[in-house]
Amino acid sequence: MRGVHVPPVLVIGATGRVGRAVVAQLLGAGVPVRALTRRPDAAGLPAAVEVVAGDLTVPDSLDAGLQGVGAVFLLWTAPPGTVPAVVERLALHAQRVVFLSSPHRTPHPFFQQPNPMAALHADIERLIATAGLASTIIRPGIFASNALHWWAAPIRDGDVVRWPYGAAETAPIDERDIAAVVARALNGDGHAGGDYVLTGPESLSQAEQVNIIGAVIGRPIRFEELSPEEFRRETAGRWPGPVVDMLLTAWRATIGRPALVTSTVADVVGSPARTFRQWVADHASAFGDAQRVTESETRRDSS
Ligand SMILES: NC(=O)c1ccc[n+]([C@@H]2O[C@H](COP(=O)([O-])OP(=O)(O)OC[C@H]3O[C@@H](n4cnc5c(N)ncnc54)[C@H](OP(=O)(O)O)[C@@H]3O)[C@@H](O)[C@H]2O)c1
């Protein structure tokens, strides 16, 4: 409505996978966005976004960005020491917070393995509740975009993915679907107190996911099963030990069970969650498809 001041939404983690998609959704809905980052010069966000500097490990640095905000989107990948001070500050300034957590309360073996990330998420949720902030807790399962970090390089460079627990099933969720739910919770009514477990629409084994990537880019990719020990050796020095432990434990625990699939994306957003195949099609160039296209274009151009 003309003349009505709409307070900005502060997006923490705005330069990350989910945060960028949240920014896009909010801008698309006409909501003013303020984005927090440690490096404003490198943020690469749309011009319509007000970019502010801030660091979750330095709580004072958040004060300027919190002035006059309505809602806050919070995610936490920083060291945990300053969580209480940050939540206290959010409660002083914001009307509500939408927190990106994980399904650590869901009684499915994949989500029930104790790990430091689940403990941190539970802690942040408890502090948000104690601070009396109106909140919505968003609990996505495995992100589809993990496939970029895990498998894009070997697929670009060859035709084999070497990986453990090929039979472990997950229901990868597209970060745009997480963001669509987050944006509704930040900008819509009726989501205070909401606790949303989000998944993709289908249970797929890790080997099936790799097959789907091959099918979409038009090149068969072989899944070569690694033992957990081999995987530990291959990731040593490159991946944090607790992350490797968390993944191996969760994959092992879920063997023989289909992944949890929820309808929450469709329930909140009104359209079904995107399939993993759709996600791959939209990111095919990251798996080397661009090269295939370029080669065929080169052949066509020279014929
Ligand atoms: N991957 C999965 O399958 C999965 C599943 C469920 C839940 N999750 C949760 O999802 C979250 C990660 O989301 P994501 O993948 O979108 O993140 P991401 O791509 O790793 O990006 C991290 C974001 O956090 C910001 N950040 C990091 N340290 C900061 C600090 N000290 N102060 C201010 N901002 C800081 C970064 O901003 P700057 O660098 O610009 O400052 C960046 O925007 C984690 O909490 C994870 O536990 C992940």
Side-chain angles (χ1 to χ4, degrees), residues 151 154 160-164 222-226 230-231 234:
W151 303 326
V160 182
V161 164
R162 306 177 68 246
W163 205 252
R222 191 161 54 80
F223 188 98
E224 188 180 310
E225 181 87 16
L226 290 187
E230 287 168 329
F231 184 64
E234 298 231 340

Side-chain angles (χ1 to χ4, degrees), residues 13 15-18 37-38 55-56 77 100 117 121 140-141 143 146:
T15 61
R17 293 186 278 182
V18 175
T37 170
R38 289 165 296 176
D55 187 331
L56 292 168
T77 59
L100 186 73
M117 191 189 80
H121 288 163
F143 294 0
N146 291 343

Side-chain angles (χ1 to χ4, degrees), residues 256-268:
R257 291 273 301 258
L260 176 85
V261 173
T262 71
S263 62
T264 315
V265 170
D267 298 342
V268 174

Side-chain angles (χ1 to χ4, degrees), residues 249-294:
T249 313
W251 288 326
R252 183 175 58 238
T254 203
I255 290 288
R257 291 273 301 258
L260 176 85
V261 173
T262 71
S263 62
T264 315
V265 170
D267 298 342
V268 174
V269 178
S271 50
R274 293 171 176 85
T275 62
F276 184 66
R277 182 177 286 268
Q278 179 65 55
W279 179 89
V280 177
D282 293 339
H283 296 81
S285 60
F287 296 97
D289 194 42
Q291 193 183 348
R292 193 171 62 89
V293 172
T294 311

Side-chain angles (χ1 to χ4, degrees), residues 36 43 56 62-63 70 81 99 119 123 126 131-132 137 142 148 174 177 179 187 196 203 241 245 257 268 292:
L36 185 100
L56 292 168
L62 306 182
D63 288 348
F99 174 54
D123 221 27
R126 190 178 47 75
I137 309 299
I142 282 284
L148 291 176
D174 191 310
D177 289 327
N187 188 39
Y196 299 142
S203 176
D245 289 341
R257 291 273 301 258
V268 174
R292 193 171 62 89

Side-chain angles (χ1 to χ4, degrees), residues 64-152:
L66 281 166
Q67 296 305 317
V69 293
V72 173
F73 174 58
L74 174 67
L75 62 76
W76 199 286
T77 59
T82 49
V83 167
V86 168
V87 173
E88 214 172 276
R89 276 188 153 69
L90 298 187
L92 283 177
H93 293 275
Q95 267 88 60
R96 63 171 124 168
V97 62
V98 175
F99 174 54
L100 186 73
S101 181
S102 54
H104 58 86
R105 294 180 173 175
T106 299
H108 182 289
F110 188 81
F111 300 120
Q112 278 310 309
Q113 311 313 308
N115 67 73
M117 191 189 80
L120 172 64
H121 288 163
D123 221 27
I124 296 176
E125 289 165 33
R126 190 178 47 75
L127 286 164
I128 288 172
T130 311
L133 261 167
S135 66
T136 313
I137 309 299
I138 308 289
R139 305 180 186 280
I142 282 284
F143 294 0
S145 57
N146 291 343
L148 291 176
H149 295 298
W150 295 350
W151 303 326

